[in-house]
Amino acid sequence: MAQKEDDDLEIQLLMTGPANEANLDEILGGTFSNDTLLRNVLLTNTDAVESRVEKIVTDHQHEMEDYLELSMRDCFLAPWRCGQRGTRLRGRSWGVEARQLFGSQYSCTSGDRTRRSRKNNARWTEDEMVKLVHSVSKKGIGKWGKMKDDYFSASIRTAVHLKDKWRNLVRACKAKNTTKKKVKVQKATEFVVRRFRHRILAIEAKHILVTKKT
DNA sequence: TTAGGGTTAAGT
DNA sequence: ACTTAACCCTAA
């Protein structure tokens, strides 16, 4: 199928070709397409992107308050922060033994809830991540089911996985690279973040501002 | 089916 | 120790 070949070629270029965000304009389309200031900062400086995005949020605060939860605004404006977690066992934790006893998914309780234990991690490869960036560029955010069919049909990744991974990528792109923070983006994500940070942030920013707006 | 909160495995 | 990434849960 021609479309698939086109996609494969584009993905190949994204992986190996020169970093080129010249088509960012096209990717963004609509709202920001004639915002030259935004386009310029997107293409040059990520710090400027953040302040610019912040300004957009400030300028549109009234409209945003109507449809954005506070937590969502905070998440959008601030780098992601995880809550503190309690200490836990590591390495050969009780989970390993529980698995041997009860299978790969046993049920466990935390707080007042019972939930299934987590299945083992399937770490995303660079190729997969690039493919995800490409497919979100094409389809936009939120079409996870369709993206699964069109781009990940033979993959172990479900629509929910795609959605979750995109969220993690956005968070990784928002992570500040200050010296204060010991841990930054993990090795596996480094390439994708370095290469597609502008694109990912831009797509996300556009999505947040455009969707739900009446 | 998706969005977004919550939990747990794994990286640094 | 503390963060990120993968996965779970569930309302709408």
Side-chain angles (χ1 to χ4, degrees):
Chain A
M1 185 181 168
Q3 180 60 47
K4 189 186 180 313
E5 285 166 22
D6 284 351
D7 285 331
D8 288 347
L9 188 61
E10 275 191 54
I11 290 168
Q12 202 48 234
L13 281 172
L14 287 173
M15 291 290 291
T16 58
N20 177 16
E21 297 293 346
N23 59 339
L24 200 52
D25 201 26
E26 182 194 336
I27 293 166
L28 290 174
T31 312
F32 293 157
S33 60
N34 48 17
D35 188 336
T36 48
L37 174 57
L38 180 64
R39 194 165 60 236
N40 286 337
V41 296
L42 286 173
L43 290 170
T44 54
N45 183 320
T46 307
D47 286 340
V49 175
E50 284 181 22
S51 62
R52 173 62 173 156
V53 166
E54 193 160 349
K55 183 175 185 325
I56 290 173
V57 174
T58 310
D59 291 348
H60 294 76
Q61 190 158 3
H62 273 307
E63 314 157 50
M64 294 187 80
E65 271 170 2
D66 290 340
Y67 61 85
L68 279 185
E69 292 299 321
L70 185 62
S71 60
M72 190 172 165
R73 282 209 306 274
D74 289 348
C75 178
F76 181 50
L77 291 173
W80 177 257
R81 246 180 249 97
C82 290
Q84 181 74 327
R85 308 216 168 96
T87 52
R88 67 191 145 70
L89 299 169
R90 297 206 54 183
R92 279 174 202 75
S93 66
W94 57 271
V96 172
E97 286 167 31
R99 259 192 201 90
Q100 286 170 354
L101 286 172
F102 307 117
S104 68
Q105 278 204 303
Y106 51 93
S107 96
C108 57
T109 59
S110 65
D112 54 345
R113 291 189 180 181
T114 300
R115 46 157 52 208
R116 278 173 299 166
S117 72
R118 250 185 54 168
K119 277 185 280 195
N120 273 341
N121 288 349
R123 311 293 289 187
W124 280 68
T125 66
E126 221 160 63
D127 289 43
E128 285 179 302
M129 288 189 253
V130 172
K131 201 153 120 185
L132 179 62
V133 170
H134 172 257
S135 53
V136 174
S137 298
K138 288 285 189 192
K139 304 280 179 195
I141 293 173
K143 313 288 194 311
W144 310 113
K146 183 151 179 45
M147 273 173 40
K148 162 71 180 172
D149 293 343
D150 290 355
Y151 294 93
F152 293 86
S153 57
S155 166
I156 58 168
R157 308 298 175 189
T158 66
V160 172
H161 285 148
L162 304 184
K163 181 263 297 173
D164 282 336
K165 185 59 190 177
W166 176 258
R167 178 169 58 169
N168 280 337
L169 280 180
V170 171
R171 286 172 184 172
C173 289
K174 285 179 182 174
K176 297 251 203 299
N177 255 6
T178 58
T179 46
K180 290 187 83 175
K181 269 200 175 180
K182 282 222 156 74
V183 182
K184 296 153 194 165
V185 170
Q186 290 183 4
K187 254 306 199 271
T189 328
E190 215 171 41
F191 168 84
V192 174
V193 168
R194 190 173 60 242
R195 189 134 189 179
F196 301 110
R197 198 169 185 202
H198 294 153
R199 178 190 297 234
I200 290 169
L201 287 175
I203 294 174
E204 185 72 8
K206 182 202 167 195
H207 179 253
I208 290 180
L209 290 182
V210 170
T211 54
K212 301 179 184 175
K213 192 177 256 183
T214 61

